[in-house]
Amino acid sequence: MIRIQARTEPSSLMKVASPLLAIALTLIFGSILFSAIGKSPSQALHVLLIAPLADSYNIGEMFVKMGPLLLCAVGLSLCYRANMWNIGAEGQLLAGALGGSAIALYFVDSESAFALPITLLAGIASGMIWAAVPTFLKLRFNSNLILTTIMFNYIALYLLIWAVHGPLRDPQGFGFPESAMFADSTLLPTLFESSRIHLGIVFAIISAFIAWFILSKSHLGFQVRVFGADEPAARYAGFSSKKLSWFVMLFAGALAGLAGVSETTGPIGQLVPNVSPGYGYSAIIVAYLGRLHPLGAIIAAMFMAVLYMGGDLAQIEMGIPVAVVSMFQGVLLFFLLACDFFINNRLAFSNQATN
Amino acid sequence: MDSDLIVQILFAAVKTGTPLLFIALGEVICEKSGVLNLGQEGMMLMGAVVGFLAAYGTGSAGLGVLSAMLMGCVMSLIFAVLVLHLGANQVATGLALTIFGTGLSAFIGSGVVGQTIQGFQPIAVPLLSDIPYLGKILFSHDILVYASFTMTFVLMFVVNKTRIGLTLKAVGENPHAANAIGIKVLRVRYLAVMFGGVMAGISGAYMSLVYTPMWVENMTAGRGWIALALVVFASWRVGRIMLGAYLFGLASIMHLVLQGLGWSISPNLLAMLPYVATVVVMVIISADKFKEKLLAPRSLGKPFDPRQMA
């Protein structure tokens, strides 16, 4: 007989093993799916996992995709730790891209050394504003944060589409809904020759370490952790939930805004309607996969970036729709949540029937 | 504005509100049992694509709707197993369902993007459609609109007047007490979640078979999320869902109204309106903290483990 038994203490081994198990199960699911639609599963797995890391150009592209995912996921990890269900990283990213671009276009004829820093700050500020409004509405009017942040994702998207069709449209752009190309003074420098890797990945990794430092070494981080683990205890200790909410939300908004402006001033070089292939949503999965730990998010973001690369390659080489990426992301989160069951429960093997 | 235009606008508001009505009716039943399913958008998209594929393949819109209902039910079962049996976090699981549904629907629908089909045709209800104004607004729609009317009234009756409704509310308010008097809490929640899935499926089918009879990636454009806000707007009361759905429908077609008044605003800014309206409504409704606490099912979002007694 196999039966399920509650563990007396959560298993710390399963906490680490669960994401790895979930990734393995997702890959098995992927192989089955690919064979079901008549593609070779081994070729598919090769395209999804090996090919993205096969040469230096592709590895570079992986880091380009990893940057925005990590920036968003680090902020979300802190939010979720504090029980703030911010689903708005996508909107905050788009707001950052939009706000930053408005400033970058102001500097389009400038060679000022301040152009890039001001542009980046504008992106960060825009992301923070986009996070601040739902936070204010939650704290002041008790409105549901999940729903307001999601609505703000859509509002940001339509605002961005409006801007590239209207005020920010390139007058010389032959009617395409795109902004003018940014001046070199507002472009993020690339790190290596013959690769698109830019400063964004450096920002992301630094932000993960800053968040880790705040979370594990500072009093503020201590409060966030207590809130996540035991809310009544945190209230009893007199920690201000308002202050913590503002802190995690503004931090997350700033990072997502930086992610957005880093995309437009980095690999894209202008404002386009499809700035993000859903990075803000994928970052939710990255945050969970990284166990809501800023450093865990680094590894999880790397995996997710490989999956994005693999999706692109699968479309080019095997004619598989790029939508498989978000499908795999959903499956990955399903498996992760299912595996997490065994953190608090275990299978017991016994000869006795259950009573 | 002349009366013809007003009738046209209200007719369109009912039509635009119908998918919201279906999906929000499903979600309110689900939430009344204490389960918050944020996977609505994903289930709706799957309903839309499967409904379209089935109708495209068989030529029958009716089979399309049936397939969409089945698909919605299957999707909701994935959610139910994770949340009800494995005690997974409802917020995270719902999000996973939406991300999964968004991807899978785009994946399986990639071959039929831009194809069109013959959806449901309007049927004027005899006698009722002859009522001045009201007949045109309410009784000259397609069969699914009439199904949504019927569904609203049936659910109002079932929830408020029957033992089934009492059981559902008991499970949502206090699952431990319900369990103690012999109600199978998990079974009730399974059924409520599955009902939500079926309704999300129909709602998706309405989008791809009637509203814009074709399949386009992400064509539900956040309606699944708006439905969640609608439930709050209706303060978990079935009757108010209908009113809310049509008001949101009206907000979505505001451009018609504004054009009628002779305004011209960028269509991209107008596209924001339903989402802005949702935020404004959420704020107004939730501002009264006491009221919301009083109205929301008390165990909403909390897992129930029959092995642990509180």
Side-chain angles (χ1 to χ4, degrees):
Chain A
M1 278 300 297
I2 302 175
R3 62 197 176 87
I4 290 160
Q5 202 174 52
R7 291 182 197 265
T8 43
E9 258 176 63
S11 157
S12 46
L13 174 71
M14 260 323 278
K15 271 185 200 162
V16 179
S18 172
L20 301 174
L21 204 57
I23 288 174
L25 288 169
T26 306
L27 294 177
I28 293 170
F29 169 85
S31 310
I32 296 171
L33 178 92
F34 283 127
S35 21
I37 60 169
K39 313 268 178 188
S40 148
S42 60
Q43 192 200 349
L45 285 181
H46 182 266
V47 163
L48 279 179
L49 285 182
I50 314 293
L53 303 172
D55 59 56
S56 61
Y57 178 79
N58 278 352
I59 291 175
E61 285 300 287
M62 184 203 75
F63 281 109
V64 171
K65 290 189 158 58
M66 182 184 159
L69 285 168
L70 181 54
L71 279 167
C72 293
V74 166
L76 293 182
S77 299
L78 286 198
C79 288
Y80 298 164
R81 280 284 185 103
N83 288 324
M84 288 294 278
W85 294 102
N86 174 13
I87 316 296
E90 180 78 2
Q92 291 146 26
L93 183 151
L94 295 177
L98 179 58
S101 299
I103 299 300
L105 290 169
Y106 174 79
F107 284 117
V108 81
D109 294 318
S110 161
E111 285 172 19
S112 162
F114 294 108
L116 181 62
I118 293 173
T119 300
L120 293 178
L121 284 176
I124 291 171
S126 309
M128 288 172 93
I129 292 169
W130 226 247
V133 179
T135 310
F136 173 76
L137 296 179
K138 179 187 164 56
L139 296 177
R140 176 72 183 75
F141 297 109
N142 188 39
S143 64
N144 184 317
L145 187 71
I146 297 171
L147 293 177
T148 46
T149 48
I150 285 168
M151 292 305 136
F152 268 69
N153 291 344
Y154 285 97
I155 296 170
L157 179 65
Y158 285 108
L159 206 58
L160 189 147
I161 292 174
W162 166 76
V164 292
H165 277 96
L168 298 187
R169 179 193 224 151
D170 182 6
Q172 273 102 50
F174 307 104
F176 284 108
E178 294 172 353
S179 80
M181 295 300 291
F182 297 166
D184 284 348
S185 61
T186 48
L187 288 184
L188 283 173
T190 51
L191 299 183
F192 308 102
E193 292 275 324
S194 76
S195 162
R196 299 200 303 163
I197 305 182
H198 56 89
L199 265 184
I201 186 68
V202 178
F203 295 152
I205 288 172
I206 291 174
S207 80
F209 276 93
I210 291 174
W212 167 75
F213 184 81
I214 293 173
L215 196 62
S216 55
K217 307 286 177 202
S218 76
H219 186 58
L220 199 61
F222 174 70
Q223 295 185 7
V224 171
R225 280 184 290 145
V226 175
F227 242 96
D230 190 348
E231 202 174 323
R235 289 187 195 285
Y236 186 73
F239 298 164
S240 158
S241 94
K242 235 177 193 168
K243 198 178 87 184
L244 289 178
S245 302
W246 275 116
F247 164 67
V248 294
M249 286 298 288
L250 290 180
F251 188 73
L255 293 188
L258 180 59
V261 71
S262 300
E263 285 298 287
T264 51
T265 58
I268 306 175
Q270 65 182 142
L271 186 65
V272 294
N274 48 346
V275 174
S276 157
Y279 286 138
Y281 295 110
S282 309
I284 298 169
I285 295 167
V286 172
Y288 268 96
L289 204 58
R291 311 274 76 179
L292 305 186
H293 190 293
L295 300 185
I298 296 179
I299 300 163
M302 205 178 279
F303 174 76
M304 195 64 84
V306 170
L307 195 58
Y308 264 106
M309 288 285 303
D312 285 349
L313 293 171
Q315 187 175 33
I316 297 163
E317 291 179 18
M318 299 174 75
I320 292 168
V322 78
V324 290
V325 174
S326 49
M327 188 180 70
F328 280 148
Q329 289 177 3
V331 171
L332 179 60
L333 190 48
F334 284 142
F335 280 129
L336 183 66
L337 292 162
C339 292
D340 279 354
F341 176 72
F342 295 101
I343 292 175
N344 291 310
N345 296 274
R346 65 197 183 96
L347 293 177
F349 301 91
S350 71
N351 296 322
Q352 293 167 332
T354 48
N355 44 19
Chain B
M1 279 202 285
D2 58 21
S3 63
D4 259 7
L5 184 64
I6 294 174
V7 167
Q8 265 178 35
I9 287 167
L10 293 178
F11 172 84
V14 170
K15 193 168 172 168
T16 313
T18 297
L20 289 172
L21 177 57
F22 273 122
I23 193 167
L25 284 176
E27 176 68 14
V28 78
I29 297 299
C30 184
E31 287 193 19
K32 274 200 172 290
S33 81
V35 182
L36 176 71
N37 185 352
L38 295 182
Q40 299 298 329
E41 182 81 2
M43 298 195 292
M44 192 177 174
L45 277 167
M46 284 303 290
V49 74
V50 168
F52 185 85
L53 282 170
Y56 185 76
T58 63
S60 156
L63 276 179
V65 174
L66 279 180
S67 318
M69 288 163 74
L70 194 68
M71 192 65 233
C73 190
V74 170
M75 290 285 283
S76 69
L77 270 175
I78 302 176
F79 174 85
V81 169
L82 280 164
V83 158
L84 299 178
H85 263 111
L86 302 184
N89 180 304
Q90 296 184 6
V91 173
T93 313
L95 288 171
L97 192 66
T98 285
I99 294 171
F100 174 69
T102 309
L104 185 58
S105 62
F107 183 66
I108 62 179
S110 59
V112 289
V113 172
Q115 302 286 341
T116 52
I117 48 157
Q118 183 80 352
F120 288 103
Q121 296 307 304
I123 309 164
V125 182
L127 298 175
L128 288 175
S129 60
D130 297 331
I131 305 171
Y133 305 118
L134 221 54
K136 179 78 184 74
I137 295 168
L138 290 176
F139 300 109
S140 46
H141 285 275
D142 54 274
I143 189 153
L144 284 180
V145 172
Y146 305 133
S148 72
F149 294 165
T150 315
M151 193 53 109
T152 308
F153 294 115
V154 167
L155 284 182
M156 271 169 80
F157 177 76
V158 169
V159 168
N160 298 319
K161 304 279 180 210
T162 69
R163 202 187 163 82
I164 300 173
L166 215 58
T167 308
L168 182 71
K169 281 184 278 190
V171 166
E173 288 297 322
N174 191 339
H176 295 286
N179 185 56
I181 58 167
I183 296 174
K184 299 258 186 288
V185 172
L186 290 187
R187 185 186 298 171
V188 172
R189 288 193 168 172
Y190 259 103
L191 290 172
V193 170
M194 282 158 70
F195 179 76
V198 169
M199 294 297 273
I202 304 180
S203 169
Y206 192 83
M207 290 301 299
S208 66
L209 296 180
V210 183
Y211 196 71
T212 45
M214 59 163 138
W215 164 252
V216 184
E217 226 176 276
N218 276 325
M219 65 182 293
T220 56
R223 282 178 176 80
W225 299 114
I226 290 179
L228 285 150
L230 245 170
V231 174
V232 180
F233 170 80
S235 38
W236 290 270
R237 291 204 192 133
V238 175
R240 287 198 204 160
I241 297 264
M242 191 182 219
L243 175 73
Y246 296 150
L247 283 176
F248 277 82
L250 193 62
S252 311
I253 52 150
M254 212 54 196
H255 58 277
L256 284 181
V257 182
L258 293 175
Q259 273 167 17
L261 293 169
W263 291 24
S264 80
I265 300 180
S266 152
N268 292 312
L269 282 181
L270 287 172
M272 259 189 264
L273 245 164
Y275 310 103
V276 176
T278 305
V279 172
V280 171
V281 164
M282 296 281 306
V283 168
I284 295 170
I285 298 294
S286 320
D288 193 343
K289 215 169 190 166
F290 177 73
K291 205 170 140 201
E292 183 173 302
K293 276 221 173 98
L294 205 70
L295 294 168
R298 226 160 297 166
S299 72
L300 186 60
K302 293 181 191 130
F304 171 75
D305 186 346
R307 292 174 304 176
Q308 294 166 351
M309 292 307 298

